[in-house]
Amino acid sequence: SLRYGHNWRIDWYLGICSLRNDEPELAYERFNETLIAMPGELGPKLAVAGTAELIGRWLIGASPKPSDSLDPQVRRWYEIARHHYQDLWLTDHAIITAAFGLARIHLAYGEASAAIIGLDEVPTTSRHYHTARETAVLALVHGRPVSAVTHAQIVEAAQRLQQIPDAEPRKPRIKLIVLGTALGWVLENPPNEELPDLLGYPFTEYGLRIGTEQSLRELARETRSNRTHRFQLVDLANYVRPATWF
C-alpha cells in the first residue's frame, strides 16, 4: 500500500490469499475494508457474509452445540452474515447465493420455518429453482434430532417433495430422508389415532418401514458404479424392513 496507495484491489486479493491460507478472520478484515471502499457492491458484500459465516462454523468446530446454546461469539459472526445475506436477497432476487446463505443461518439458529421463506422466493426462471425446493424439504426434516421435528413439518416436507418433478436426480434420496425421519418420529411418538398416509405409505411403524425399505432398494438398483455402496444400501434395507417369519 505504501507503493500503490490505498487501493481496494490490494485488500481484495489479500483477502483471497488469507482464505487460501486458512486465515478467515484476516480475510474478513480485508473483505470488510473492500466493502467500506465500495459500499453496496455485490462481490465484497457476499465475501464479507460468506467469511463471517465461515468463521462462525469454524468457531463451532466439529462438535456443534444445540442452536439454543450457541456461543455469543458464534452468534455475533452469524448475525453479520445474516445481515448481509438478507440485505442482498431483499435487494435482488437474482442473487441466489444470498437466499441459500440466509437459509443456512436460519437453520443454524434452529429456525426451519424461516429458512424456507427465502428458498420459496427463488424465481422459477432460475437454474437453482429445483435445488431451492429440494433444500426446503431437507430444511424441514433433516439436520437435527428427530425429537426436534414435528408431524406437521414431516407432512409439509412430503407435500413439497411430491411437487418436485420425478426427473430430478436427487428426489429418490430426499424421499428416503423424509420416510426415514417419519419412521424415527413414529418410533419416538407412537400415534394415538390413525394418521393420513405419507407418500403412499401408512403413517405407522410397519408402513414406514416398508416405505423406507423400498426406497433403499430402489437406490441400490440405481447404484451401478459402486458395488460397496450398493451392498450397504441393501444391508440397510434388510435391517429396516418389518420383522417377518420369512
Side-chain angles (χ1 to χ4, degrees), residues 93-94 96 120-130 133:
H93 278 13
I96 308 300
D120 284 343
E121 293 173 344
V122 171
T124 58
T125 54
S126 170
R127 65 188 180 94
H128 301 292
Y129 174 67
H130 289 306
R133 298 173 79 188

Side-chain angles (χ1 to χ4, degrees), residues 206-241:
Y206 182 84
L208 293 171
R209 282 187 180 277
I210 290 177
T212 305
E213 177 199 0
Q214 290 181 354
S215 293
L216 284 164
R217 295 194 189 283
E218 289 171 4
L219 285 175
R221 284 193 292 270
E222 295 175 2
T223 305
R224 299 182 177 88
S225 59
N226 189 328
R227 292 183 61 189
T228 301
H229 183 53
R230 184 169 72 248
F231 293 156
Q232 289 174 340
L233 291 170
V234 173
D235 288 341
L236 283 173
N238 292 333
Y239 175 78
V240 79
R241 64 178 296 205

Side-chain angles (χ1 to χ4, degrees), residues 41-88:
E41 286 294 320
L42 167 63
K45 190 168 289 191
L46 271 177
V48 167
T51 308
E53 180 187 356
L54 177 64
I55 294 171
R57 293 182 179 275
W58 175 65
L59 289 174
I60 291 176
S63 301
K65 297 180 180 180
S67 56
D68 58 353
S69 61
L70 285 177
D71 186 273
Q73 277 291 92
V74 175
R75 283 189 174 272
R76 183 177 76 85
W77 286 110
Y78 277 170
E79 278 301 300
I80 293 172
R82 184 195 63 79
H83 168 74
H84 289 298
Y85 282 141
Q86 187 168 2
D87 186 32
L88 286 164

Side-chain angles (χ1 to χ4, degrees), residues 111-240:
E111 301 167 348
S113 298
I116 64 178
I117 293 176
L119 297 172
D120 284 343
E121 293 173 344
V122 171
T124 58
T125 54
S126 170
R127 65 188 180 94
H128 301 292
Y129 174 67
H130 289 306
T131 302
R133 298 173 79 188
E134 292 163 350
T135 304
V137 174
L138 293 175
L140 288 166
V141 297
H142 188 54
R144 60 191 188 280
V146 71
S147 58
V149 180
T150 66
H151 174 256
Q153 288 174 329
I154 294 173
V155 172
E156 182 180 352
Q159 292 171 343
R160 287 173 173 270
L161 180 64
Q162 289 176 315
Q163 297 171 2
I164 297 174
D166 292 337
E168 284 297 307
R170 290 177 291 266
K171 186 174 181 178
R173 283 172 284 175
I174 298 175
K175 178 183 178 182
L176 173 61
I177 291 173
V178 174
L179 289 170
T181 301
L183 175 59
W185 186 88
V186 164
L187 292 175
E188 288 199 5
N189 306 274
N192 297 321
E193 57 184 15
E194 185 176 350
L195 298 173
D197 291 355
L198 187 79
L199 298 175
Y201 299 98
F203 207 118
T204 61
E205 179 183 349
Y206 182 84
L208 293 171
R209 282 187 180 277
I210 290 177
T212 305
E213 177 199 0
Q214 290 181 354
S215 293
L216 284 164
R217 295 194 189 283
E218 289 171 4
L219 285 175
R221 284 193 292 270
E222 295 175 2
T223 305
R224 299 182 177 88
S225 59
N226 189 328
R227 292 183 61 189
T228 301
H229 183 53
R230 184 169 72 248
F231 293 156
Q232 289 174 340
L233 291 170
V234 173
D235 288 341
L236 283 173
N238 292 333
Y239 175 78
V240 79

Side-chain angles (χ1 to χ4, degrees), residues 81-83 85-86 89 97-107 115 118:
R82 184 195 63 79
H83 168 74
Y85 282 141
Q86 187 168 2
W89 184 239
T97 302
F100 284 95
L102 190 58
R104 289 194 301 271
I105 298 300
H106 282 303
L107 288 175

